[in-house]
Amino acid sequence: MKKNFFYAAAFAVGLAFASTACSNNDAPQPEPIDAADIDYTSENAASWNNYMKAVVTLLRKDASDLYDYWAVSYKGGESYATTFKNHGAPFNSAGSCVQQVIDGCVDIANEVGETKIGDPYSKYQAGNVTEALYAVESWYSWHSREDYSNNIVSICNAFCGVRSESLISGATIDKSQVAGKSLYTALVNNGQQELADNTLTAIKNAYDKILAIPQPFRNHINSEQSLAAQEACSELSVLLKNQLKPACDALSESVLSPVVANYVDVVVLPTYADLKTKVGTLYEKVNTLAANPTNQAFKDACDAWITAREPWEKSEAFLFGPVADQGLDPNMDSWPLDQAAIVNILNSGDYSQMEWSGDYSEDSEAISAAQNVRGFHTLEFLLFKDGQARTVD
């Protein structure tokens, strides 16, 4: 997830959804509607449906491009999977690839603890309650807790060389699921059993502490459980950076090369394939909804959104390579949204505001503006309200 800063725009700007049926300037005008409170109605349905279709079309392309970059070809050459497994540029060894893997795990552990949970917590503690609410990712769907725990699963998958939430979701850790060609096993086989077990325990602790936060997170931002989850994520991050990374750096190339290959083939590629497939299903459900809006169609699209979120959140431990260099992370997952700009697009029908071209730069204000009105969370805003599927007026 790329973190942006649109809190002020998100809650300080109230915009009207103007009716196009009346052009008489003397006629009564609709009262301004705060962007967060806008509803799907018969008056705005056509524009709303078109916007949903435009957003999910771009989302499907981004998910497809991401998979193809890794599995087929990147920048006209070999696939990124081949480059990474062969330790090609910018990587010059299996060891440097593993350092990238661990760095990705550190980054998402920090982001979950410090930003996704910690930022709203700090704002709430400072008395900025409304700002804290808008800092909560996935609050329209009330799916925040699950997003964050899936981020921790992405760390577990990277460390254990498998795609399995059940490895850490039970009462105890199921080590029987750990891959033979994984960082965990490499450590165990090279005299680092205690560190391997401590790392896995820290991963499970962060996972458990996040899911111990009462649901929905947006209603329990300043809870003791939220603070405990922050602390667990911090402990995990410190362990990964200060203990796991140097320990893995000491392992030989012959030990690490098969770990890198397994990581790509068993974790990364299947995760991105799953994302592509499930976003494809989301695309179908949104288009069905747009063609025939019903309460059931809204619910089906919401269910498909939640299903498609899972592989994305479980990929956030490996936000390097094409997903970062091509701006696909913020294309798909920028947060917070610019709600005022979203309503402007609903009013204007100018869907070109979602698109950008040229080389990606995270410093480009124009690109950031486009990314803040597309992706998973814009679609979430259009599908959900207060944790429920929107309804047809």
Side-chain angles (χ1 to χ4, degrees), residues 4 64 72 100 306 335:
N4 291 299
S64 180
V72 182
Q100 175 62 78
I306 289 173
W335 183 265

Side-chain angles (χ1 to χ4, degrees), residues 5-82:
F5 299 95
F6 282 90
Y7 304 120
F11 65 83
V13 180
L15 293 175
F17 192 98
S19 172
T20 59
C22 180
S23 60
N24 184 347
N25 290 334
D26 295 328
Q29 298 299 307
E31 290 295 320
I33 302 172
D34 187 282
D37 292 330
I38 191 170
D39 288 318
Y40 181 91
T41 67
S42 57
E43 288 78 16
N44 64 33
S47 179
W48 200 291
N49 295 340
N50 287 334
Y51 194 7
M52 287 192 297
K53 289 194 297 181
V55 172
V56 80
T57 297
L58 289 174
L59 187 60
R60 183 179 66 162
K61 182 181 186 304
D62 287 335
S64 180
D65 285 348
L66 179 54
Y67 174 74
D68 289 347
Y69 289 149
W70 270 86
V72 182
S73 174
Y74 187 49
K75 295 184 176 180
E78 64 186 11
S79 70
Y80 197 81
T82 299

Side-chain angles (χ1 to χ4, degrees), residues 179-190:
K181 298 175 181 179
S182 66
L183 287 176
Y184 176 92
T185 303
L187 289 170
V188 171
N189 291 343
N190 286 272

Side-chain angles (χ1 to χ4, degrees), residues 185-383:
T185 303
L187 289 170
V188 171
N189 291 343
N190 286 272
Q192 297 278 2
Q193 175 85 55
E194 183 177 5
L195 175 59
D197 287 341
N198 287 347
T199 302
L200 199 45
T201 297
I203 292 170
K204 177 170 173 54
N205 185 49
Y207 175 88
D208 288 344
K209 289 293 193 297
I210 290 168
L211 289 179
I213 301 171
Q215 181 78 319
F217 171 57
R218 71 182 301 275
N219 291 352
H220 300 89
I221 292 171
N222 68 329
S223 65
E224 62 182 27
Q225 293 92 342
S226 295
L227 185 58
Q230 289 181 63
E231 292 171 349
C233 289
S234 176
E235 290 168 1
L236 172 59
S237 175
V238 169
L239 186 152
L240 293 171
K241 182 177 181 180
N242 295 344
Q243 297 184 48
L244 180 64
K245 192 171 180 178
C248 289
D249 197 37
L251 299 176
S252 69
E253 287 290 292
S254 62
V255 169
L256 295 179
S257 286
V259 170
V260 171
N262 180 80
Y263 168 79
V264 171
D265 293 337
V266 178
V267 178
V268 178
L269 287 176
T271 299
Y272 283 151
D274 198 20
L275 176 67
K276 179 180 178 179
T277 298
K278 289 178 177 176
V279 170
T281 301
L282 175 60
Y283 172 87
E284 294 172 0
K285 295 298 184 183
V286 168
N287 277 273
T288 297
L289 165 62
N292 183 26
T294 64
N295 291 343
Q296 184 61 49
F298 257 117
K299 184 180 184 304
D300 291 344
C302 287
D303 289 345
W305 184 91
I306 289 173
T307 299
R309 282 293 287 176
E310 181 179 340
W312 170 255
E313 293 301 316
K314 289 180 179 178
S315 78
E316 290 211 47
F318 35 96
L319 291 180
F320 63 89
V323 70
D325 298 342
Q326 301 302 313
L328 297 176
D329 173 18
N331 271 3
M332 292 190 276
D333 202 34
S334 281
W335 183 265
L337 300 178
D338 188 346
Q339 293 179 140
I342 289 173
V343 177
N344 270 334
I345 292 176
L346 282 170
N347 274 315
S348 69
D350 182 9
Y351 308 120
S352 67
Q353 294 181 45
M354 295 186 291
E355 300 184 28
W356 59 272
S357 60
D359 293 335
Y360 174 67
S361 170
E362 64 180 10
D363 297 323
S364 169
E365 293 182 4
I367 292 176
S368 292
Q371 292 171 328
N372 287 317
V373 291
R374 62 188 283 177
F376 273 114
H377 292 303
T378 294
L379 194 57
E380 179 193 12
F381 174 86
L382 296 169
L383 291 174

